[in-house]
Amino acid sequence: MGDSSSLKPGTIVGFGNPLLDMTVVGDQNLLDKYDLKNNNAILAEEKHMPLYEELMKNENTEYTAGGSAQNSLRVAQWILEKPNVAVFFGAVGQDKYSEILKLKANNEGVDVKYQYSSKKPTGTCAVIVTNNGKDRSLCANLSAAETFTEDHLDVPENKIIIENAKFYLATGFFLQVNAKAVQKIAKVAFERKCPFLYNMSAPFIYQFYMDSVMSIFRFVNIVVGNDEEAKAFSEGQNWNLDNIEEIASKLSTFDIENGNRLVIITQGEKSVLVVKDGVITHYPVPKLPASDIIDSNGAGDAFIGGFISKYILGCPIKTCVEAGINAGSYIIQQPGISKGDSFKI
């Protein structure tokens, strides 16, 4: 337990929307200009398209390989320090941005099995950082990421990887793109009795895509989300609950095929709430000086990466959650989802 040397390539498979993050330090005026909110994640509409042009012209804009699931796998690979344990699936364009994404992912140990679209460019995500790094607003232009088709899962090479994995990760964001693909993955995980982790992703998923969520939810063994996403799920189900502990407890037993699911709810600076086998545990989050917080984007993705890296080694839940907290705390002290020399969990 705790040794990654025995892990085989493709132990973890993740599915999501690969995006090139375009990060800039902004202010309330920029958010208002494009009708964006702090600490929210939305899909771009026509009115948001000029934002990407504005960021491209801004010399202070930083570009990083992004996309929620891909970020989580990158962090897991940093910690495991053994290449290709994680494999990522998603759709990109045939352009320089997808070349950057693949190079970045490969350099960090993640094997990628992109599906390439000739009709749309690689997706991008505008990341507006405000409040001295404490807040971020995400606006994703999915573009090629929306073109993912489930037949990519049946390509012989990909099918072998998926059917031999030990741990599965999918996001609410990806569920919105192709629910049938996630259903297929969820059933493989269930039939193979392997963990399937679902990242709740964003509140809007539970306002507009609850049917898709419910099509896979009974197969989900592990749910990770933040308090706003948990509240949105509760509202989408008309549970009439405000208390996060009550919502998390209900999530742990709600519509599940076998037993209880592990539910993990992050709450920013507050403790991480974990429900396991009906028992609620709070794990404290170390308080960082405000001056150390540079960019809160990706903290949740990093948490999941840290968690998975220990979970697949058979570590106790306490160790897994603390690794997630440490990874999230590290990431908010970096610009973008980037790794410095000091990264060690």
Side-chain angles (χ1 to χ4, degrees), residues 33-34 45-55:
K33 182 177 179 181
Y34 292 102
E45 300 171 34
E46 197 60 43
K47 66 183 178 183
H48 298 117
M49 292 309 157
L51 169 62
Y52 300 96
E53 295 166 30
E54 183 173 333
L55 294 188

Side-chain angles (χ1 to χ4, degrees), residues 170-192:
T171 65
F173 292 135
F174 189 64
L175 190 63
Q176 175 262 320
V177 164
N178 194 318
K180 287 184 179 177
V182 184
Q183 289 163 14
K184 204 166 188 173
I185 298 151
K187 285 173 183 172
V188 169
F190 178 73
E191 286 165 5
R192 299 189 63 243

Side-chain angles (χ1 to χ4, degrees), residues 53 64 108 171 206 236 241 258 271 274 304 327:
E53 295 166 30
T64 51
E108 294 175 336
T171 65
Y206 310 98
L241 296 174
N258 283 328
S271 63
V274 177
I304 288 174

Side-chain angles (χ1 to χ4, degrees), residues 44-289:
E45 300 171 34
E46 197 60 43
K47 66 183 178 183
H48 298 117
M49 292 309 157
L51 169 62
Y52 300 96
E53 295 166 30
E54 183 173 333
L55 294 188
M56 281 180 186
K57 291 174 184 174
N58 187 331
E59 61 183 19
N60 294 318
T61 297
E62 293 189 7
Y63 297 88
T64 51
S68 179
Q70 191 166 230
N71 283 338
S72 293
L73 297 186
R74 286 168 57 210
V75 171
Q77 281 289 169
W78 298 347
I79 299 168
L80 291 168
E81 296 183 325
K82 182 180 180 181
N84 303 327
V85 171
V87 181
F88 173 74
F89 292 83
V92 294
Q94 293 174 329
D95 51 32
K96 64 179 180 181
Y97 293 141
S98 63
E99 290 175 18
I100 294 169
L101 286 176
K102 183 173 183 178
L103 185 66
K104 184 88 172 172
N106 289 167
N107 285 346
E108 294 175 336
V110 180
D111 187 9
V112 295
K113 301 298 178 189
Y114 293 147
Q115 184 176 27
Y116 288 90
S117 167
S118 58
K119 296 176 182 175
K120 289 189 175 185
T122 297
T124 51
C125 183
V127 182
I128 315 298
V129 178
T130 55
N131 191 17
N132 294 319
K134 288 185 179 179
D135 298 328
R136 93 293 186 265
S137 182
L138 308 181
C139 184
N141 180 19
L142 296 180
S143 204
E146 288 187 298
T147 67
F148 190 93
T149 56
E150 57 266 30
D151 61 358
H152 188 60
L153 307 176
D154 293 325
V155 173
E157 178 192 7
N158 297 341
K159 191 172 184 180
I160 289 169
I161 292 168
I162 292 164
E163 291 182 350
N164 284 286
K166 302 295 184 190
F167 191 101
Y168 299 80
L169 162 68
T171 65
F173 292 135
F174 189 64
L175 190 63
Q176 175 262 320
V177 164
N178 194 318
K180 287 184 179 177
V182 184
Q183 289 163 14
K184 204 166 188 173
I185 298 151
K187 285 173 183 172
V188 169
F190 178 73
E191 286 165 5
R192 299 189 63 243
K193 296 182 170 60
C194 292
F196 176 51
L197 187 153
Y198 173 68
N199 178 349
M200 297 186 80
S201 295
F204 79 83
I205 301 293
Y206 310 98
Q207 295 169 304
F208 305 113
Y209 301 101
M210 187 61 95
D211 286 349
S212 295
V213 174
M214 294 316 298
S215 74
I216 58 108
F217 207 67
R218 67 184 181 278
F219 300 120
V220 173
N221 312 100
I222 306 170
V223 170
V224 183
N226 65 31
D227 44 3
E228 293 303 319
E229 293 152 7
K231 287 174 185 174
F233 190 105
S234 175
E235 288 170 12
Q237 292 292 340
N238 297 312
W239 285 351
N240 296 317
L241 296 174
D242 292 319
N243 183 287
I244 289 295
E245 287 193 357
E246 290 179 6
I247 294 171
S249 291
K250 188 147 186 171
L251 277 170
S252 71
T253 57
F254 178 66
D255 192 30
I256 184 164
E257 200 70 24
N258 283 328
N260 296 332
R261 68 171 61 85
L262 178 66
V263 176
I264 303 171
I265 306 297
T266 62
Q267 305 179 90
E269 296 176 349
K270 297 180 185 175
S271 63
V272 174
L273 192 161
V274 177
V275 183
K276 184 178 187 294
D277 298 328
V279 178
I280 297 172
T281 308
H282 287 268
Y283 294 90
V285 173
K287 191 159 179 63
L288 295 173

